[in-house]
Amino acid sequence: MTSHVPKSLVWVRVVTLASIYKLVVHQMDVKTAFLNGDLDEEVYMDQPEGFVLPGNEKKVYKLVKSLYGLKQAPKQWHEKFDTVILANGFKHNGADKCVYSKFTGEYGVIVCLYVDDMLIFGTNMLGVCETKKYLASVFKMKDLNEADTILDIKVKRHSEGYALCQNHYIEKVLLKYKHLNVKEVNTPFDSNYKLVENTGRAIAQLEFASAIGSMMYAMHCTRPDIAFAVNRLSRYTSNPSAEHWKAIARVLGYLKKTKDLGLYYSGYPAVLEGYSDANWVTSVGDNKSTSGWIFTLGGGAISWASKKQSCISHSTMESEFIALASAGKEAEWLRNMLYDIELWPQPMSAISIYCDSQATMSKAYSKIYNGKSRHISLRHEYVRQLVEDGVISIVYVKSSGNLADPFTKGLSRDMVRVTSIGMGLKPF
């Protein structure tokens, strides 16, 4: 049973479009959202304690509407909102069912829903006001006017577009772990750390998992610069050691020093570009490599990832190819999302993905794969198909200019600063 939870906060990507096309961004909240769901089946419940009808003690209530706590409540709310918004002329986005758009001769509106929180993007106030009026006529709504803070992410309008920051959220996280005596540092991960699996007793395992989760939320929303460190540390969640806690304190120390950094988007460049990289055999013990990719639009990062590869690669080229296939998959998803938003110019040109491995590039453009590894063969066919279909083009870039580099390994202070600027991170 699921409710409206978009793929990795898709509205962050729509904020980029708001910067490019000078959209107005307003925010609304649905009051008691799950009570709006209509039940498809008969559901009965015991009479609540203190509200038992005298003489009917052995009877039960039959639910007419959905209630909080019901397993199907999120799904029923999802279906209800779908029915209501589609009836008003909106249509689903093909890449994410939590994004709706409506374009008429007078205005264009995009609605992004996250359970009961929503952002309304409009080409003018007429579209925003009409959408608000319609939703308020069906649901009990709280109008929060121009977007300010949603899901612990601050939204700020500046002269060239919008910026997103989580400084208050990071302050709350730092306060929660103040007992670690965190000191400010310039990099999120010390490349001299040789982190290995803990063979002894776990140290505060639940708290470690909670700390990873807290940092992961910041990483997914506005802080791509800590992606590698969080990804690396999350591998030790089941049995953390003192060394792992030391590395956690370092990430928190970096966030403490840079808590006011936010993602800034402007109208330029209005070109979607990607970067892909891999670091061969970085995982001690299982010989797995690390993939990293990032996509930028409107001057800031809109999608990124740092992940341990799921299969063993036999060479640097193979590990780079696995990373390129992952980046290609994300490029295809981003293309599909933008394709369904009428603001984006058609036809769409191929998305350039920059790669620092010429061997990987030549393999991608080759029609024949003569290796023996089936998992590489499948990825080769997929990437080659994306290139042939005009979804992506692969461009060579020197390692020093590869924006995906910090997603595969720890970098020096100067490189962290340079790549952070390239991602669109600036003081909020």
Side-chain angles (χ1 to χ4, degrees):
M1 301 293 181
T2 58
S3 182
H4 277 66
V5 179
K7 179 185 186 288
S8 191
L9 293 179
V10 70
W11 61 263
V12 171
R13 299 175 176 103
V14 183
V15 166
T16 320
L17 295 180
S19 299
I20 294 171
Y21 296 106
K22 309 302 178 190
L23 307 181
V24 290
V25 185
H26 278 235
Q27 183 179 352
M28 290 190 91
D29 179 64
V30 187
K31 296 178 182 178
T32 57
F34 287 0
L35 302 186
N36 291 295
D38 298 318
L39 292 173
D40 295 331
E41 59 276 297
E42 289 188 359
V43 179
Y44 298 90
M45 63 173 279
D46 291 330
Q47 295 184 58
E49 193 176 332
F51 293 89
V52 179
L53 267 110
N56 295 288
E57 289 83 4
K58 297 202 174 177
K59 291 188 176 181
V60 293
Y61 286 141
K62 179 183 177 182
L63 292 185
V64 179
K65 287 276 187 180
S66 184
L67 275 184
Y68 279 82
L70 278 183
K71 286 183 180 178
Q72 57 267 58
K75 178 176 176 284
Q76 299 308 125
W77 159 238
H78 176 151
E79 291 179 354
K80 179 76 172 191
F81 187 84
D82 257 13
T83 304
V84 167
I85 195 117
L86 295 177
N88 191 238
F90 281 82
K91 64 176 185 177
H92 277 132
N93 186 285
D96 198 308
K97 299 299 182 186
C98 298
V99 180
Y100 306 85
S101 60
K102 177 182 177 181
F103 286 85
T104 70
E106 296 177 292
Y107 60 78
V109 176
I110 303 167
V111 174
C112 294
L113 184 70
Y114 190 97
V115 189
D116 59 352
D117 294 294
M118 71 179 75
L119 286 180
I120 302 171
F121 301 82
T123 53
N124 57 40
M125 278 305 297
L126 174 64
V128 172
C129 291
E130 285 200 1
T131 304
K132 284 182 176 183
K133 186 179 177 181
Y134 173 70
L135 290 171
S137 71
V138 184
F139 305 116
K140 288 182 179 178
M141 305 289 295
K142 185 177 180 182
D143 188 353
L144 300 167
N145 295 311
E146 197 165 352
D148 178 63
T149 303
I150 180 168
L151 303 171
D152 272 328
I153 304 170
K154 293 186 77 174
V155 182
K156 183 175 81 171
R157 193 169 189 169
H158 58 89
S159 58
E160 296 178 325
Y162 288 90
L164 304 173
C165 184
Q166 286 178 287
N167 50 0
H168 288 318
Y169 172 75
I170 290 169
E171 283 171 3
K172 285 193 283 186
V173 173
L174 291 169
L175 186 63
K176 184 178 179 181
Y177 297 101
K178 64 179 180 180
H179 59 279
L180 296 177
N181 298 319
V182 171
K183 294 177 182 176
E184 293 186 2
V185 290
N186 294 306
T187 59
F189 191 83
D190 187 347
S191 53
N192 294 319
Y193 280 165
K194 302 298 178 189
L195 297 177
V196 294
E197 296 282 348
N198 180 25
T199 54
R201 286 185 62 184
I203 299 175
Q205 189 269 329
L206 287 175
E207 191 182 8
F208 188 90
S210 177
I212 289 290
S214 297
M215 294 189 299
M216 200 170 277
Y217 184 62
M219 176 203 82
H220 278 309
C221 298
T222 62
R223 297 302 300 265
D225 52 335
I226 63 168
F228 172 74
V230 175
N231 163 61
R232 187 70 189 274
L233 287 166
S234 65
R235 303 174 192 180
Y236 309 106
T237 304
S238 61
N239 192 22
S241 66
E243 282 299 304
H244 300 144
W245 271 108
K246 186 178 173 184
I248 284 269
R250 184 178 184 90
V251 183
L252 292 172
Y254 174 73
L255 287 174
K256 186 177 182 180
K257 186 177 179 68
T258 61
K259 68 178 184 292
D260 290 322
L261 285 183
L263 280 174
Y264 274 73
Y265 301 105
S266 61
Y268 179 82
V271 178
L272 179 59
E273 295 179 325
Y275 295 82
S276 169
D277 197 16
N279 199 3
W280 188 45
V281 190
T282 50
S283 184
V284 180
D286 60 6
N287 296 317
K288 300 278 180 72
S289 305
T290 300
S291 292
W293 46 258
I294 180 172
F295 288 86
T296 61
L297 177 63
I302 63 164
S303 184
W304 55 86
S306 174
K307 295 181 179 178
K308 183 168 79 168
Q309 294 181 358
S310 57
C311 53
I312 294 173
S313 51
H314 299 100
S315 65
T316 301
M317 189 277 290
E318 282 195 1
S319 67
E320 292 272 5
F321 210 91
I322 293 168
L324 182 60
S326 295
K329 188 175 181 181
E330 183 68 9
E332 187 177 26
W333 184 88
L334 287 167
R335 181 187 170 91
N336 290 339
M337 187 199 79
L338 293 171
Y339 185 82
D340 268 7
I341 296 174
E342 290 182 34
L343 291 169
W344 196 257
Q346 306 290 344
M348 291 184 68
S349 56
I351 299 168
S352 297
I353 298 181
Y354 294 90
C355 172
D356 58 13
S357 168
Q358 289 180 321
T360 305
M361 281 184 60
S362 60
K363 184 67 72 177
Y365 282 101
S366 169
K367 291 192 175 182
I368 300 169
Y369 173 74
N370 51 15
K372 296 179 181 178
S373 302
R374 186 168 180 269
H375 60 282
I376 300 296
S377 174
L378 292 171
R379 287 172 170 85
H380 172 264
E381 183 61 29
Y382 175 64
V383 170
R384 193 177 66 81
Q385 195 65 52
L386 290 178
V387 172
E388 278 190 6
D389 292 346
V391 175
I392 64 170
S393 64
I394 304 163
V395 184
Y396 177 73
V397 66
K398 290 182 179 179
S399 294
S400 58
N402 193 343
L403 208 53
D405 204 29
F407 295 89
T408 62
K409 56 180 176 284
L411 299 179
S412 66
R413 178 183 62 184
D414 291 341
M415 284 305 295
V416 166
R417 184 175 54 81
V418 170
T419 53
S420 293
I421 293 170
M423 295 172 194
L425 287 167
K426 299 176 186 175
F428 194 69

Coordinates of all heavy atoms in Angstrom, one line a residue, residues 12-23 91 93 99 101-103 108-110 123 265-274 295-300 302 331-352 390-391:
V12 N 12.2 18.8 -6.5 CA 13.5 19.5 -6.5 C 13.9 19.8 -7.9 O 14.4 20.9 -8.3 CB 14.6 18.7 -5.8 CG1 16.0 19.4 -6.0 CG2 14.3 18.6 -4.3
R13 N 13.6 18.8 -8.8 CA 13.9 19.0 -10.2 C 13.0 20.0 -10.9 O 13.4 20.7 -11.8 CB 13.8 17.6 -10.9 CG 14.8 16.6 -10.4 CD 14.6 15.2 -11.0 NE 15.6 14.3 -10.5 CZ 15.3 13.4 -9.6 NH1 14.1 13.3 -9.0 NH2 16.3 12.6 -9.1
V14 N 11.8 20.1 -10.4 CA 10.8 21.0 -11.0 C 11.2 22.4 -10.6 O 10.9 23.4 -11.4 CB 9.4 20.7 -10.7 CG1 8.4 21.6 -11.3 CG2 9.0 19.2 -11.1
V15 N 11.8 22.6 -9.4 CA 12.3 23.9 -9.0 C 13.3 24.5 -10.0 O 13.3 25.7 -10.3 CB 12.9 23.9 -7.6 CG1 13.7 25.1 -7.3 CG2 11.8 23.6 -6.5
T16 N 14.0 23.6 -10.7 CA 15.0 24.0 -11.7 C 14.2 24.7 -12.9 O 14.6 25.7 -13.4 CB 15.8 22.9 -12.2 OG1 16.2 22.0 -11.1 CG2 17.0 23.3 -13.0
L17 N 13.1 24.0 -13.3 CA 12.3 24.5 -14.3 C 11.7 25.9 -13.9 O 11.5 26.8 -14.8 CB 11.2 23.6 -14.7 CG 11.6 22.2 -15.3 CD1 10.4 21.3 -15.6 CD2 12.4 22.4 -16.5
A18 N 11.3 26.0 -12.7 CA 10.8 27.3 -12.2 C 11.8 28.4 -12.3 O 11.4 29.5 -12.6 CB 10.4 27.1 -10.7
S19 N 13.1 28.1 -12.1 CA 14.1 29.1 -12.3 C 14.3 29.4 -13.8 O 14.5 30.6 -14.1 CB 15.4 28.5 -11.7 OG 15.3 28.3 -10.3
I20 N 14.2 28.4 -14.6 CA 14.5 28.7 -16.1 C 13.3 29.4 -16.7 O 13.5 30.4 -17.5 CB 14.7 27.3 -16.8 CG1 16.0 26.6 -16.3 CG2 14.7 27.5 -18.3 CD1 16.1 25.2 -16.8
Y21 N 12.1 29.0 -16.3 CA 10.9 29.7 -17.0 C 10.2 30.7 -16.1 O 9.1 31.1 -16.4 CB 9.9 28.5 -17.4 CG 10.5 27.6 -18.4 CD1 10.9 26.3 -18.1 CD2 10.7 28.0 -19.8 CE1 11.5 25.5 -19.0 CE2 11.3 27.2 -20.7 CZ 11.7 25.9 -20.3 OH 12.3 25.1 -21.3
K22 N 10.9 31.1 -15.0 CA 10.3 32.2 -14.1 C 8.9 31.9 -13.7 O 8.0 32.7 -13.7 CB 10.4 33.5 -14.9 CG 11.7 33.9 -15.5 CD 12.8 33.9 -14.5 CE 14.2 34.2 -15.2 NZ 15.3 34.0 -14.2
L23 N 8.7 30.7 -13.1 CA 7.4 30.2 -12.6 C 7.2 30.8 -11.2 O 8.2 31.0 -10.5 CB 7.3 28.7 -12.6 CG 7.6 28.0 -13.9 CD1 7.4 26.5 -13.7 CD2 6.7 28.5 -15.1
K91 N -3.0 16.1 -16.2 CA -2.6 14.8 -16.6 C -1.4 14.3 -15.9 O -0.6 15.2 -15.4 CB -2.3 14.8 -18.1 CG -1.2 15.7 -18.6 CD -0.9 15.5 -20.1 CE 0.3 16.3 -20.5 NZ 0.6 16.1 -22.0
N93 N 2.3 12.9 -15.1 CA 3.6 12.8 -15.8 C 4.0 11.4 -16.0 O 3.9 10.6 -15.1 CB 4.7 13.5 -14.9 CG 6.0 13.7 -15.6 OD1 6.8 12.7 -15.7 ND2 6.3 14.9 -16.1
V99 N 3.5 13.8 -10.2 CA 3.6 15.1 -10.8 C 2.5 15.2 -11.8 O 2.3 14.3 -12.7 CB 5.0 15.2 -11.6 CG1 5.1 16.6 -12.3 CG2 6.1 15.1 -10.6
S101 N 0.3 18.0 -14.6 CA 0.4 19.2 -15.3 C -0.8 19.5 -16.1 O -1.5 18.6 -16.5 CB 1.7 19.2 -16.2 OG 1.6 18.2 -17.2
K102 N -1.1 20.8 -16.3 CA -2.2 21.3 -17.0 C -1.8 22.6 -17.8 O -1.4 23.5 -17.2 CB -3.4 21.6 -16.1 CG -4.6 22.1 -16.7 CD -5.7 22.4 -15.7 CE -6.9 23.1 -16.3 NZ -8.0 23.4 -15.3
F103 N -2.0 22.5 -19.1 CA -1.6 23.7 -19.9 C -2.8 24.1 -20.8 O -3.3 23.3 -21.5 CB -0.4 23.4 -20.8 CG 0.9 23.3 -20.0 CD1 1.3 22.2 -19.3 CD2 1.7 24.5 -19.8 CE1 2.5 22.1 -18.6 CE2 2.9 24.4 -19.1 CZ 3.3 23.2 -18.4
G108 N -0.1 27.8 -17.5 CA 0.4 26.4 -17.3 C 0.6 26.2 -15.9 O 1.1 27.1 -15.2
V109 N 0.2 25.0 -15.3 CA 0.3 24.7 -13.9 C 0.9 23.3 -13.8 O 0.5 22.4 -14.5 CB -1.0 24.7 -13.2 CG1 -0.8 24.3 -11.7 CG2 -1.6 26.1 -13.2
I110 N 1.9 23.1 -12.9 CA 2.5 21.8 -12.5 C 2.2 21.6 -11.0 O 2.6 22.5 -10.2 CB 4.0 21.8 -12.8 CG1 4.2 22.1 -14.3 CG2 4.5 20.4 -12.4 CD1 5.7 22.3 -14.6
T123 N 2.8 29.4 -14.5 CA 3.3 30.4 -15.4 C 2.8 31.8 -15.1 O 3.5 32.8 -15.4 CB 3.0 30.1 -16.9 OG1 1.6 29.9 -17.0 CG2 3.7 28.8 -17.4
Y265 N 19.7 27.6 -8.4 CA 19.4 27.4 -9.7 C 19.1 28.7 -10.4 O 18.5 29.6 -9.8 CB 18.1 26.5 -9.8 CG 18.3 25.2 -9.2 CD1 17.7 24.9 -8.0 CD2 19.0 24.2 -9.8 CE1 17.9 23.6 -7.4 CE2 19.2 22.9 -9.3 CZ 18.6 22.6 -8.1 OH 18.8 21.4 -7.5
S266 N 19.5 28.9 -11.7 CA 19.2 30.1 -12.4 C 18.7 29.6 -13.8 O 18.5 28.5 -14.1 CB 20.5 30.9 -12.6 OG 21.5 30.2 -13.3
G267 N 18.4 30.6 -14.7 CA 17.9 30.2 -16.0 C 19.0 29.8 -16.9 O 18.7 29.4 -18.1
Y268 N 20.3 29.8 -16.5 CA 21.4 29.4 -17.4 C 22.4 28.5 -16.7 O 22.7 28.7 -15.5 CB 22.1 30.7 -17.8 CG 23.3 30.5 -18.8 CD1 23.0 30.3 -20.1 CD2 24.6 30.4 -18.3 CE1 24.1 30.1 -21.0 CE2 25.6 30.1 -19.1 CZ 25.4 30.0 -20.5 OH 26.4 29.7 -21.3
P269 N 22.9 27.5 -17.4 CA 22.5 27.1 -18.8 C 21.3 26.2 -18.7 O 21.2 25.3 -17.9 CB 23.7 26.3 -19.3 CG 24.3 25.7 -18.1 CD 24.1 26.7 -16.9
A270 N 20.3 26.4 -19.7 CA 19.1 25.6 -19.7 C 19.4 24.3 -20.5 O 18.6 24.0 -21.4 CB 18.0 26.4 -20.4
V271 N 20.5 23.7 -20.2 CA 20.9 22.4 -20.9 C 21.1 21.3 -19.8 O 21.8 21.6 -18.9 CB 22.2 22.6 -21.7 CG1 22.6 21.4 -22.4 CG2 22.0 23.7 -22.7
L272 N 20.5 20.2 -20.1 CA 20.6 19.1 -19.1 C 21.9 18.3 -19.5 O 22.0 17.8 -20.7 CB 19.4 18.2 -19.2 CG 19.4 16.9 -18.3 CD1 19.5 17.2 -16.9 CD2 18.1 16.1 -18.6
E273 N 22.8 18.2 -18.6 CA 24.1 17.5 -18.8 C 24.4 16.5 -17.7 O 23.9 16.7 -16.6 CB 25.2 18.4 -18.9 CG 25.2 19.4 -20.1 CD 26.4 20.4 -20.2 OE1 26.8 20.8 -19.1 OE2 26.8 20.7 -21.3
G274 N 25.1 15.4 -18.0 CA 25.4 14.4 -17.0 C 26.9 14.1 -16.9 O 27.6 14.4 -17.9
F295 N 23.7 14.9 -12.6 CA 23.1 15.7 -13.8 C 22.9 17.1 -13.3 O 22.4 17.3 -12.2 CB 21.8 15.0 -14.2 CG 22.0 13.7 -15.0 CD1 22.1 12.5 -14.3 CD2 22.1 13.7 -16.4 CE1 22.3 11.3 -15.0 CE2 22.3 12.5 -17.0 CZ 22.4 11.3 -16.3
T296 N 23.2 18.0 -14.2 CA 23.0 19.4 -13.8 C 22.1 20.1 -14.8 O 22.0 19.7 -16.0 CB 24.3 20.2 -13.8 OG1 24.9 20.1 -15.1 CG2 25.3 19.6 -12.8
L297 N 21.3 21.1 -14.4 CA 20.4 21.9 -15.2 C 20.2 23.2 -14.6 O 20.0 23.3 -13.3 CB 19.1 21.1 -15.4 CG 18.0 21.8 -16.2 CD1 18.4 22.0 -17.6 CD2 16.7 21.0 -16.1
G298 N 20.3 24.3 -15.3 CA 20.0 25.6 -14.8 C 21.1 26.0 -13.7 O 20.7 26.8 -12.8
G299 N 22.3 25.5 -13.9 CA 23.4 26.0 -13.0 C 23.5 25.2 -11.7 O 24.4 25.4 -10.9
G300 N 22.7 24.1 -11.5 CA 22.8 23.4 -10.3 C 22.5 21.9 -10.5 O 21.9 21.5 -11.5
I302 N 20.6 18.4 -10.3 CA 19.2 18.0 -10.1 C 19.1 16.5 -9.8 O 18.0 16.1 -9.4 CB 18.4 18.4 -11.3 CG1 18.8 17.6 -12.6 CG2 18.3 19.9 -11.5 CD1 17.8 17.7 -13.7
A331 N 19.4 9.2 -17.1 CA 19.2 10.2 -18.2 C 17.8 9.9 -18.9 O 17.1 10.8 -19.3 CB 20.3 10.1 -19.2
E332 N 17.6 8.6 -19.1 CA 16.3 8.2 -19.8 C 15.1 8.7 -19.0 O 14.1 9.2 -19.5 CB 16.3 6.7 -20.0 CG 15.2 6.3 -20.9 CD 15.2 4.8 -21.2 OE1 15.8 4.0 -20.4 OE2 14.6 4.3 -22.2
W333 N 15.2 8.5 -17.6 CA 14.1 8.8 -16.8 C 13.9 10.4 -16.8 O 12.8 10.9 -16.9 CB 14.4 8.4 -15.3 CG 13.2 8.6 -14.4 CD1 12.1 7.9 -14.2 CD2 13.0 9.8 -13.6 NE1 11.3 8.5 -13.3 CE2 11.8 9.7 -12.9 CE3 13.8 11.0 -13.4 CZ2 11.3 10.6 -12.0 CZ3 13.3 11.9 -12.5 CH2 12.1 11.8 -11.9
L334 N 15.0 11.1 -16.7 CA 14.9 12.6 -16.7 C 14.3 13.1 -18.0 O 13.5 14.0 -18.0 CB 16.3 13.2 -16.4 CG 16.9 13.1 -15.0 CD1 18.3 13.5 -15.0 CD2 16.1 14.0 -14.1
R335 N 14.7 12.5 -19.1 CA 14.2 12.9 -20.4 C 12.7 12.6 -20.5 O 12.0 13.5 -21.0 CB 14.9 12.0 -21.5 CG 14.5 12.4 -22.9 CD 15.2 11.4 -23.9 NE 14.6 11.5 -25.2 CZ 15.1 12.3 -26.1 NH1 16.2 13.0 -25.9 NH2 14.6 12.3 -27.4
N336 N 12.3 11.5 -20.0 CA 10.8 11.2 -20.0 C 10.0 12.1 -19.1 O 8.9 12.5 -19.5 CB 10.6 9.7 -19.5 CG 11.1 8.7 -20.5 OD1 11.2 9.0 -21.7 ND2 11.3 7.5 -20.0
M337 N 10.6 12.5 -18.0 CA 9.9 13.5 -17.1 C 9.8 14.8 -17.8 O 8.7 15.4 -17.7 CB 10.7 13.6 -15.8 CG 10.0 14.5 -14.7 SD 11.1 15.1 -13.5 CE 11.8 16.5 -14.3
L338 N 10.9 15.3 -18.4 CA 10.8 16.6 -19.0 C 9.9 16.6 -20.3 O 9.3 17.6 -20.6 CB 12.2 17.1 -19.4 CG 13.2 17.4 -18.2 CD1 14.6 17.6 -18.7 CD2 12.7 18.6 -17.4
Y339 N 9.9 15.5 -21.0 CA 9.1 15.3 -22.2 C 7.6 15.6 -21.9 O 6.9 16.1 -22.8 CB 9.3 13.9 -22.8 CG 8.7 13.7 -24.1 CD1 9.3 14.1 -25.3 CD2 7.4 13.1 -24.2 CE1 8.6 14.0 -26.5 CE2 6.8 12.9 -25.4 CZ 7.4 13.3 -26.6 OH 6.8 13.2 -27.8
D340 N 7.2 15.2 -20.7 CA 5.8 15.3 -20.4 C 5.4 16.7 -19.8 O 4.3 16.9 -19.4 CB 5.3 14.2 -19.4 CG 4.8 13.0 -20.2 OD1 4.9 13.0 -21.4 OD2 4.3 12.1 -19.5
I341 N 6.4 17.6 -19.7 CA 6.1 18.9 -19.3 C 6.2 19.9 -20.5 O 7.3 20.0 -21.1 CB 7.1 19.4 -18.2 CG1 6.9 18.5 -16.9 CG2 6.9 20.8 -17.8 CD1 7.9 18.7 -15.8
E342 N 5.1 20.5 -20.9 CA 5.0 21.2 -22.1 C 5.9 22.4 -22.2 O 6.1 22.9 -23.3 CB 3.5 21.6 -22.4 CG 2.6 20.4 -22.7 CD 1.2 20.8 -23.0 OE1 1.0 21.9 -23.6 OE2 0.3 20.0 -22.6
L343 N 6.4 22.9 -21.1 CA 7.3 24.0 -21.1 C 8.6 23.6 -21.9 O 9.3 24.5 -22.5 CB 7.7 24.5 -19.7 CG 6.5 25.1 -18.9 CD1 7.0 25.2 -17.5 CD2 6.2 26.5 -19.5
W344 N 9.0 22.4 -21.7 CA 10.3 22.0 -22.3 C 10.3 21.9 -23.8 O 9.4 21.3 -24.4 CB 10.7 20.6 -21.7 CG 12.2 20.3 -21.9 CD1 12.7 19.5 -22.8 CD2 13.3 20.8 -21.2 NE1 14.1 19.4 -22.7 CE2 14.5 20.3 -21.7 CE3 13.4 21.8 -20.1 CZ2 15.7 20.6 -21.2 CZ3 14.7 22.1 -19.6 CH2 15.8 21.5 -20.2
P345 N 11.2 22.5 -24.5 CA 11.2 22.5 -26.0 C 11.3 21.2 -26.6 O 12.1 20.3 -26.1 CB 12.4 23.4 -26.3 CG 13.3 23.4 -25.1 CD 12.4 23.2 -24.0
Q346 N 10.5 21.0 -27.7 CA 10.5 19.7 -28.4 C 11.0 20.0 -29.8 O 10.8 21.1 -30.4 CB 9.1 19.1 -28.5 CG 8.4 18.9 -27.1 CD 9.0 17.8 -26.3 OE1 9.8 17.0 -26.8 NE2 8.8 17.9 -25.0
P347 N 11.6 19.0 -30.5 CA 12.0 17.7 -30.0 C 13.2 17.9 -29.1 O 14.0 18.8 -29.2 CB 12.4 17.0 -31.3 CG 12.8 18.1 -32.3 CD 12.0 19.2 -31.9
M348 N 13.4 16.9 -28.2 CA 14.5 17.0 -27.2 C 15.8 16.5 -27.8 O 15.8 15.4 -28.5 CB 14.1 16.1 -26.0 CG 13.0 16.7 -25.2 SD 12.7 15.7 -23.7 CE 14.2 16.0 -22.7
S349 N 16.8 17.2 -27.6 CA 18.1 16.8 -28.1 C 18.7 15.7 -27.1 O 18.3 15.6 -26.0 CB 19.1 18.0 -28.2 OG 19.2 18.6 -27.0
A350 N 19.7 15.0 -27.6 CA 20.4 14.0 -26.8 C 21.0 14.6 -25.6 O 21.6 15.7 -25.6 CB 21.4 13.2 -27.6
I351 N 21.0 13.9 -24.4 CA 21.6 14.4 -23.2 C 23.1 14.0 -23.2 O 23.4 12.8 -23.3 CB 20.9 13.8 -22.0 CG1 19.4 14.2 -21.9 CG2 21.6 14.2 -20.7 CD1 18.6 13.4 -20.9
S352 N 23.9 15.0 -23.1 CA 25.4 14.7 -23.1 C 25.8 14.1 -21.7 O 25.5 14.7 -20.7 CB 26.2 16.0 -23.4 OG 25.9 16.4 -24.7
G390 N 19.2 8.3 -29.7 CA 19.3 9.8 -29.5 C 18.9 10.2 -28.1 O 18.7 11.4 -27.9
V391 N 18.9 9.3 -27.1 CA 18.6 9.7 -25.8 C 19.8 10.3 -25.1 O 19.7 11.3 -24.4 CB 18.1 8.4 -25.0 CG1 17.9 8.8 -23.5 CG2 16.8 7.9 -25.5

